[in-house]
Amino acid sequence: DRSFVTNAPTDPAIQTTLRSGLQMARDLSIRSWAEGVESHEDWDFLQGLGCDLAQGYFIAKPMSADAYLQWMSDLATDPTSIFIA
């Protein structure tokens, strides 16, 4: 969750926890999912550790069901559209 992601790029203890968890997921052939990814820096760091998927404000802010359907449609057309800057 966000407590494992926030400050990960700069906190050695969090980095160790994430690195270990993500390695265990790979060893068990389990896809990994990070929650609470709030920034591009967070996502870049997690991808560098081998994280597969992410959820958080960096990907999309909370939205209505109608907005979600539009977001998914946009995603199908342009996968890079999920990233907010």
Side-chain angles (χ1 to χ4, degrees):
D1 71 12
R2 194 171 92 183
S3 64
F4 289 109
V5 174
T6 301
N7 299 321
T10 58
D11 186 318
I14 294 173
Q15 291 172 8
T16 299
T17 301
L18 287 171
R19 190 175 296 110
S20 298
L22 291 168
Q23 184 61 53
M24 183 172 25
R26 280 191 299 279
D27 290 349
L28 296 170
S29 299
I30 298 172
R31 292 181 77 187
S32 55
W33 184 289
E35 294 185 9
V37 177
E38 306 284 315
S39 71
H40 198 280
E41 180 182 30
D42 292 341
W43 180 229
D44 283 348
F45 179 77
L46 289 162
Q47 280 187 303
L49 293 179
C51 186
D52 298 309
L53 303 166
Q55 174 275 327
Y57 281 131
F58 175 64
I59 306 300
K61 294 182 179 177
M63 63 186 83
S64 68
D66 289 339
Y68 173 75
L69 293 173
Q70 182 60 54
W71 183 76
M72 290 299 294
S73 175
D74 293 345
L75 177 62
T77 304
D78 178 10
T80 64
S81 69
I82 65 166
F83 298 108
I84 57 175

